């Protein structure tokens, strides 16, 4: 007789499986515990972490606390005070509600809970390790709750090994801290990391909270947004167009105080800024959508950052209108008004009276530098054969010399097509090269080599510039600073959010140093999230992408010749770092076919 093979999993195993979904990194624990503190009615929440949460995460609040029974029960799976029946799922206004977080945390960490209600004489202390209660006893304490999480993933070493560097994990904690504290400005918060206080936020308004998180300069950088309709209310702030950045940092949507990601609504905001900011800049916004919970579904993703709207097109239209109105009301965009006397002219407001300091002109440190200088490395014969010879025969030394001689004689025969492509004749037809992708490949290999060998070239900034970044971008810049310095950047911290740019790579000739670093950081973040690249490869790709010649940039015949020479001196000349094809050959037969 065959034995039954389906069995119920032990709670400890089930909790670890749930932990894999809910608790991905220390930031996940921070999110769940602070949200619980807010749901408990706290007016003050203190976050303490050590080693980016690996060693310690502590969240202390002055909320309502728990009874002895509730303190024990809260670690059971699906134990929650937020919902009582299925219908409650469609009218949720609290932060947490599924009842899996504490059980998941207790399954992969050493947890200590101390809690007391106001009506109780003493509180309760519980210790749990790997889902097992090891201690429970009374504890004298003030009203509220203190969760202490030690040695996260101590019993799941594979998961612990997948954690990133402390800087990277702390950035994730920062981001969760920002998302929660922003929409709860009436609550005071502190954030301490390795015994150093990073934030001390006092209760106040949303604008005061934004200033507390992002810096005092945001007092004058933001505009209020307000739109009330029968179905939805939109409140918050947007960053003035003239303060838009080349990094995608200050972009926050909230629905009923819960942070969400929504590409469609982001497009609504982005389109409202159309023609007001450069194409390579990003709008900043801190916007909350207040809507009846029955008109949304927030339980479509484990982290609850994705939301379905019943009528998303309506929300899009209202969002676009609200942002556009906020810009227009402050004269940052010209508005059509047929009653205005045309003789009065147009006032473009603050956009034409920017208080940004004028930058001193930069003097090139090395005026003789040519970014297209021929690579001293001998051209790879195989690569030249791919470009210049369609035969399968082995290329001899004589053929290579012939190629080089012909190239020298035909420098004037390089043609730039649409200021984007380099075209020249070869034995088998026409060689067409994408100038941006070609230069990107050249610089990519160059930067990788410089980072490995510490060979660096820098041009000094005659008038050093200052770059101010948000907390997460500061952390990111610190993380990649050693590699940036190997390729020629010279960065000196001025304070917690500002760096002085004393030098830049010679390849950045004529570039705005501040904009260049912002673009590099944005590209680096994109590669980090989408491609999961190694740090050096990521940085080399980001640098090369931003500093390569762009489509639309005019090149003379010597520059085109040098770029082609350097391309075919690369280890991989066929494709760009991102895998795009750099060149193609239109053979003679294809040309004949097209002309017949």
């Amino acid at each position: 007789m065959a034995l039954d093979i389906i069995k119920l999993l032990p709670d400890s195993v089930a909790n670890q499986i749930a932990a894999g979904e809910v608790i991905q990194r220390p930031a996940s624990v921070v999110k769940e515990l602070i949200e619980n503190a807010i749901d408990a009615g706290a007016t003050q929440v203190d976050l303490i972490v050590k080693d980016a949460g690996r060693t310690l995460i502590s969240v202390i609040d002055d909320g309502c606390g728990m009874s002895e029974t509730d303190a024990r029960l809260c670690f059971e799976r699906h134990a929650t005070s937020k919902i009582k029946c299925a219908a409650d799922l469609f009218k949720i206004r609290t932060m947490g509600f599924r009842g899996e977080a504490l059980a998941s945390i207790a399954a992969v960490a050493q947890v200590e809970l101390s809690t007391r209600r106001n009506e109780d004489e003493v509180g309760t202390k519980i210790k749990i390790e790997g889902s097992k209660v090891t201690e429970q006893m009374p504890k004298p304490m003030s009203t509220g709750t203190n969760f202490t999480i030690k040695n996260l993933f101590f019993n799941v070493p594979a998961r612990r090994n997948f954690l990133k560097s402390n800087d990277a994990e702390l950035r994730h904690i920062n981001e969760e801290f920002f998302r929660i504290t922003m929409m709860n400005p009436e609550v005071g918060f502190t954030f301490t990391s390795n015994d150093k206080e990073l934030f001390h936020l006092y209760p106040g308004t949303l604008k005061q909270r934004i200033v507390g998180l992002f810096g005092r300069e945001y007092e004058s950088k933001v505009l209020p947004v307000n739109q009330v309709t029968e179905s939805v209310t939109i409140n918050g702030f947007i960053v003035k167009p003239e303060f838009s950045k080349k990094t995608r940092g200050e972009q926050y949507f909230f629905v009923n105080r819960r942070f969400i990601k929504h590409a469609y609504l982001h497009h609504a905001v982005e389109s409202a800024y159309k023609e007001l900011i450069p194409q390579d800049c990003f709008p900043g916004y801190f916007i909350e959508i207040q809507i009846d919970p029955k008109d949304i579904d927030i339980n479509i993703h484990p982290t609850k950052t994705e939301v379905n709207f019943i009528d998303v097109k309506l929300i899009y239209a209202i969002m676009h209108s609200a942002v556009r109105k906020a810009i227009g009301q402050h004269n940052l965009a010209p508005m059509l008004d047929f009653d205005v006397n045309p003789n009065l002219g147009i006032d473009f407001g603050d956009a034409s009276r920017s208080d940004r300091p004028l930058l001193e002109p930069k003097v090139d440190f090395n005026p003789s530098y040519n970014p297209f200088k021929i690579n001293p490395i001998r051209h790879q014969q195989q690569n030249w054969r791919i470009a210049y010879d369609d035969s399968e025969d082995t290329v001899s030394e004589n053929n290579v010399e012939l190629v080089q001689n012909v190239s020298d004689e035909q420098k004037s025969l390089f043609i730039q097509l649409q200021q984007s492509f380099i075209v020249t004749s070869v034995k088998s037809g026409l060689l067409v090269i994408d100038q941006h992708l070609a230069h990107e490949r050249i610089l990519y290999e160059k930067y990788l080599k410089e980072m490995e060998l510490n060979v660096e070239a820098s041009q000094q900034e005659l008038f050093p510039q200052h770059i101010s970044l948000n907390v997460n971008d500061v952390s990111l810049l610190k993380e990649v600073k050693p590699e940036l310095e190997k390729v020629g950047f010279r960065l000196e911290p001025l304070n917690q959010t500002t760096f002085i740019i004393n030098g830049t790579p010679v390849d950045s000739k004529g570039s705005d140093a501040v904009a260049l670093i912002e673009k590099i950081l944005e590209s680096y973040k994109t590669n980090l999230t989408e491609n999961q690249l190694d740090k050096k490869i990521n940085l080399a790709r980001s640098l090369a992408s931003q500093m390569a010649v762009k489509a639309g940039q005019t090149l003379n015949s010597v520059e085109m010749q040098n770029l082609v020479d350097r391309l075919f001196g690369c280890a991989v000349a066929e494709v760009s770092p991102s895998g795009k094809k750099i060149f193609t050959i239109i053979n003679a037969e294809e040309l004949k076919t097209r002309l017949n």
Side-chain angles (χ1 to χ4, degrees):
M1 183 175 179
L3 297 175
D4 296 333
I5 60 173
I6 295 178
K7 301 181 184 301
L8 290 175
L9 288 172
D11 287 343
S12 58
V13 177
N15 287 341
Q16 282 202 9
I17 293 172
E21 181 182 80
V22 180
I23 309 302
Q24 299 174 342
R25 53 183 3 120
S28 307
V29 176
V30 170
K31 173 183 181 293
E32 299 291 350
L33 295 183
I34 295 182
E35 285 183 347
N36 282 347
I38 292 171
D39 286 342
T43 60
Q44 179 65 42
V45 179
D46 301 316
L47 168 64
I48 302 167
V49 302
K50 289 187 178 179
D51 300 324
R54 280 181 169 85
T55 305
L56 173 74
I57 300 171
S58 182
V59 174
I60 306 166
D61 71 66
D62 63 354
C64 63
M66 289 182 279
S67 67
E68 181 180 359
T69 302
D70 287 346
R72 180 68 177 262
L73 190 60
C74 72
F75 291 103
E76 299 296 327
R77 289 194 73 200
H78 306 305
T80 177
S81 62
K82 316 297 173 59
I83 57 176
K84 295 180 174 61
C85 61
D88 291 342
L89 287 170
F90 301 98
K91 52 184 178 181
I92 291 169
R93 290 193 177 273
T94 54
M95 303 297 283
F97 58 87
R98 297 193 310 168
E100 286 189 297
L102 295 182
S104 299
I105 294 169
V108 293
Q110 297 163 340
V111 180
E112 182 177 313
L113 164 64
S114 299
T115 184
R116 173 178 171 260
R117 297 182 302 178
N118 187 54
E119 61 266 34
D120 296 331
E121 292 185 4
V122 295
T124 302
K125 176 181 175 181
I126 294 178
K127 286 186 176 182
I128 296 182
E129 185 171 315
S131 296
K132 295 181 179 179
V133 177
T134 59
E135 183 180 327
Q136 180 171 344
M137 59 186 294
K139 180 181 179 180
M141 60 177 293
S142 57
T143 301
T145 300
N146 178 357
F147 272 102
T148 301
I149 314 300
K150 296 179 180 178
N151 301 320
L152 187 64
F153 301 128
F154 79 98
N155 55 351
V156 193
R159 176 61 65 87
R160 191 176 179 90
N161 291 337
F162 271 96
L163 294 178
K164 306 297 183 183
S165 67
N166 279 359
D167 285 338
E169 294 299 337
L170 191 60
R171 279 199 304 277
H172 286 286
I173 293 175
N174 278 337
E175 192 58 44
E176 292 295 350
F177 184 78
F178 276 39
R179 292 172 179 178
I180 299 172
T181 60
M182 199 178 303
M183 274 296 108
N184 294 276
E186 73 284 356
V187 179
F189 292 90
T190 64
F191 179 9
T192 303
S193 173
N194 292 339
D195 300 320
K196 179 181 179 182
E197 187 173 84
L198 303 182
F199 292 95
H200 195 129
L201 305 174
Y202 296 95
T205 64
L206 174 57
K207 186 173 184 179
Q208 290 170 331
R209 182 53 50 89
I210 292 171
V211 170
L213 290 170
F214 293 96
R216 191 171 298 173
E217 65 272 17
Y218 275 77
E219 180 72 36
S220 59
K221 279 187 176 182
V222 295
L223 300 172
V225 175
N226 181 261
Q227 185 74 51
V228 180
T229 70
E230 290 183 0
S231 56
V232 66
T233 296
I234 292 176
N235 286 302
F237 292 87
I238 59 172
V239 176
K240 295 177 181 178
E242 68 265 34
F243 295 114
S244 61
K245 294 183 177 181
K246 299 183 187 297
T247 57
R248 199 190 311 262
E250 294 78 48
Q251 295 181 341
Y252 294 89
F253 277 132
F254 301 88
V255 170
N256 297 342
R257 293 196 169 199
R258 183 189 302 278
F259 172 81
I260 66 162
K261 297 177 181 178
H262 208 291
Y264 189 52
L265 294 185
H266 169 75
H267 185 270
V269 176
E270 202 169 42
S271 62
Y273 277 83
K274 193 174 182 181
E275 298 177 357
L276 296 175
I277 62 176
Q279 286 188 344
D280 59 349
C281 286
F282 302 97
Y285 52 83
F286 316 90
I287 297 176
E288 182 193 13
I289 302 166
Q290 296 174 11
I291 190 170
D292 192 322
K294 68 178 176 58
D295 293 331
I296 58 174
D297 180 6
I298 59 175
N299 199 25
I300 62 173
H301 190 272
T303 61
K304 302 187 284 288
T305 57
E306 296 178 15
V307 171
N308 277 342
F309 293 89
I310 288 180
D311 193 347
V312 70
K313 291 184 178 179
L314 175 63
I315 307 298
Y316 180 102
I318 296 172
M319 180 71 69
H320 181 276
S321 173
V323 174
R324 196 69 185 176
K325 184 178 73 171
I327 296 173
Q329 284 180 339
H330 290 78
N331 292 327
L332 289 173
M335 299 188 68
L336 293 176
D337 188 346
F338 296 100
D339 296 326
V340 174
N341 185 338
N343 296 325
L344 295 178
I346 299 175
D347 178 15
F348 288 93
D350 294 342
S352 63
R353 297 188 294 274
S354 174
D355 57 359
R356 281 184 172 182
L358 293 176
L359 298 177
E360 297 278 5
K362 291 193 301 183
V363 178
D364 189 6
F365 180 69
N366 184 7
S368 63
Y369 170 72
N370 181 355
F372 301 101
K373 183 178 179 181
I374 297 177
N375 194 325
I377 300 174
R378 181 178 178 84
H379 302 315
Q380 295 189 22
Q381 295 180 9
Q382 183 182 3
N383 289 335
W384 279 111
R385 182 178 68 79
I386 292 171
Y388 285 95
D389 192 350
D390 60 350
S391 71
E392 295 298 325
D393 297 333
T394 303
V395 179
S396 66
E397 281 292 325
N398 291 335
N399 287 338
V400 173
E401 291 175 4
L402 178 62
V403 166
Q404 294 171 335
N405 290 335
V406 170
S407 298
D408 291 337
E409 293 171 2
Q410 295 183 343
K411 284 182 180 179
S412 60
L413 297 182
F414 282 94
I415 298 171
Q416 190 181 28
L417 179 63
Q418 296 181 338
Q419 295 181 305
S420 299
F421 302 97
I422 299 171
V423 182
T424 188
S425 62
V426 293
K427 179 178 178 180
S428 55
L430 289 178
L431 173 66
V432 182
I433 299 173
D434 185 307
Q435 66 186 40
H436 172 72
L437 295 181
H439 199 203
E440 191 176 346
R441 163 55 65 178
I442 293 165
L443 294 179
Y444 171 73
E445 294 193 6
K446 173 180 180 288
Y447 294 139
L448 272 183
K449 184 177 180 180
E450 287 177 351
M451 280 187 268
E452 291 293 337
L453 302 179
N454 293 336
V455 178
E456 53 196 53
S458 180
Q459 59 182 6
Q460 184 177 352
E461 294 289 307
L462 189 59
F463 301 102
Q465 298 186 57
H466 292 184
I467 180 170
S468 295
L469 302 166
N470 63 44
V471 175
N472 280 348
D473 284 344
V474 166
S475 172
L476 189 65
L477 185 57
K478 287 180 179 178
E479 183 178 323
V480 299
K481 184 172 176 282
E483 283 73 24
L484 286 176
E485 290 182 339
K486 288 177 183 178
V487 300
F489 282 99
R490 296 292 176 267
L491 302 168
E492 177 186 347
L494 180 64
N495 54 43
Q496 287 188 344
T497 59
T498 305
F499 286 80
I500 302 172
I501 307 172
N502 290 315
T504 54
V506 290
D507 296 299
S508 66
K509 174 183 174 183
S511 299
D512 178 348
V514 172
L516 180 60
I517 291 177
E518 288 181 345
K519 287 179 180 178
I520 290 169
L521 289 177
E522 182 58 29
S523 178
Y524 186 89
K525 284 187 286 189
T526 301
N527 288 334
L528 203 61
T529 55
E530 295 180 4
N531 302 317
Q532 300 290 315
L533 297 177
D534 169 80
K535 183 167 76 169
K536 288 183 179 179
I537 292 175
N538 186 347
L539 191 57
R541 278 180 57 167
S542 302
L543 285 161
S545 174
Q546 298 307 323
M547 289 201 268
V549 295
K550 302 297 188 290
Q553 185 170 336
T554 302
L555 305 177
N556 61 40
S557 59
V558 174
E559 290 171 334
M560 287 188 280
Q561 172 71 51
N562 289 342
L563 189 145
V564 173
D565 288 344
R566 293 180 70 190
L567 172 65
F568 290 107
C570 289
V572 180
E574 295 83 6
V575 295
S576 72
S578 60
K580 296 179 181 178
K581 192 174 181 180
I582 294 176
F583 63 81
T584 187
I585 293 178
I586 304 175
N587 60 49
E589 290 301 320
E590 186 178 350
L591 290 173
K592 289 178 184 178
T593 302
R594 292 193 178 194
L595 292 173
N596 287 336

